[in-house]
Amino acid sequence: MEIFDTHCHIGLDGQVPPEEDHARALEADVRALLVVGVDAPSSAAARDLARLPGVRWSAGLHPNDAGAFDEQWQAVAALARDPACAAVGETGLDCFRDRTPLEQQVRSLRAHLALARELQLPVIFHCRDAFAELFEVLDAEPPTSGVMHCFSGGVEEARRALDLGLYLSFAGPLTYKKNDALREACAFAPPDRVLVETDAPFLPPQSRRGKRNEPALIVETLGKLAEVSLVGVPANHGGRVEQEGLLSGVFRPPLVAGAEIPKRLTRAVDYVR
């Protein structure tokens, strides 16, 4: 089994060298990582990590940092125009924290959407306590491909996102004991529209709550995802779901000399615990 962590931030917290996180990921059969930028410096650092086998990267400005849009957008957009950039974001809306006024977040989000359409790249969406506001913006925009990173909604939010053509990516909270509504949303989504991620170093799975997360720990989330999303699969299916690889799908493949990227990657579930 080969696993793709579709959203992580190795190196962002400075606690562990990203090379160490990457090495442990490989030991856990995590063969590809998308290192996601949240501002201009972290986007540039993510690009630099493409020297590691299987690493691709994105460029974006997190909604909580949208107040720095005027200072950073030119640099973020320039990074996104690098042919090796896999996606635009993360961007989106966050009404949980009040660090950045909503109108500034919307301005930044619209700029990301326009850039993604120009470059024909997918968008990585952050949405926290802001589904209504985010869907209002997306309904008024031309169609955009992308991923709802660390999806946190229920079935109705999942339905809206899927209707917009988006993928749903599930992280450690899928494993949390009281998160039945999230597991219902995961079961509702078609398996070929579901992704898995860590959001490392944030949001570790249940067995490591309160501790630092890393891409190698995606296996626990993947196990829960398989348990949830394989309900109703015929017995003769053998507990395995063949998923089309992401290399030519959601994310643009990295242009890194010598990178060993598998031809097929697990989109969501390829095993059952």
Side-chain angles (χ1 to χ4, degrees), residues 196-209:
V196 65
E197 64 171 89
T198 60
D199 199 24
F202 314 108
L203 296 176
Q206 179 65 39
S207 69
R208 300 291 293 271
R209 289 194 74 171

Side-chain angles (χ1 to χ4, degrees), residues 13-227:
D13 62 356
Q15 294 187 23
V16 175
E19 294 81 3
E20 293 185 12
D21 278 338
H22 178 264
R24 284 192 293 272
L26 292 178
E27 291 174 359
D29 289 328
V30 182
R31 298 299 178 184
L33 312 173
L34 182 66
V35 182
V36 176
V38 295
D39 55 19
S42 65
S43 298
R47 177 188 60 184
D48 293 343
L49 288 174
R51 67 182 184 276
L52 301 174
V55 170
R56 65 204 72 180
W57 57 280
S58 74
L61 185 62
H62 194 282
N64 289 328
D65 296 312
F69 180 86
D70 289 335
E71 295 79 18
Q72 295 201 24
W73 180 246
Q74 185 175 356
V76 168
L79 286 161
R81 289 190 170 91
D82 186 318
C85 183
V88 172
E90 71 187 87
T91 182
L93 299 178
D94 191 320
C95 293
F96 178 78
R97 295 186 175 91
D98 59 0
R99 285 168 41 182
T100 306
L102 185 61
E103 60 269 21
Q104 293 185 14
Q105 296 185 45
V106 171
R107 177 193 179 201
S108 177
L109 170 59
R110 291 191 187 280
H112 283 80
L113 294 172
L115 181 64
R117 289 193 296 268
E118 173 194 337
L119 301 177
Q120 296 185 318
L121 287 176
V123 179
I124 300 169
F125 291 103
H126 170 105
C127 182
R128 189 169 187 187
D129 291 354
F131 282 104
E133 294 83 353
L134 178 62
F135 291 146
E136 182 179 358
V137 172
L138 296 182
D139 285 341
E141 291 277 335
T144 303
S145 65
V147 177
M148 294 289 287
H149 134 71
C150 192
F151 183 76
S152 59
V155 169
E156 288 309 309
E157 291 81 11
R159 188 192 312 275
R160 288 291 308 278
L162 292 166
D163 286 347
L164 286 166
L166 302 177
Y167 289 79
L168 308 182
S169 184
F170 293 89
L174 188 72
T175 68
Y176 297 171
K177 294 179 180 179
K178 296 182 179 181
N179 232 342
D180 291 336
L182 184 61
R183 286 185 282 273
E184 289 175 7
C186 182
F188 169 79
D192 64 352
R193 300 283 292 282
V194 170
L195 307 176
V196 65
E197 64 171 89
T198 60
D199 199 24
F202 314 108
L203 296 176
Q206 179 65 39
S207 69
R208 300 291 293 271
R209 289 194 74 171
K211 300 180 180 179
R212 182 181 183 274
N213 199 8
E214 62 178 279
L217 300 180
I218 198 172
V219 173
E220 182 174 344
T221 303
L222 184 59
K224 178 58 69 174
L225 193 153
E227 175 187 317

Side-chain angles (χ1 to χ4, degrees), residues 4 34 54-57 82-87 121 246-256 259 261-262 265:
F4 180 14
L34 182 66
V55 170
R56 65 204 72 180
W57 57 280
D82 186 318
C85 183
L121 287 176
L246 293 175
L247 292 178
S248 58
V250 181
F251 300 115
R252 178 191 290 172
L255 304 179
V256 183
I261 307 296
L265 295 167

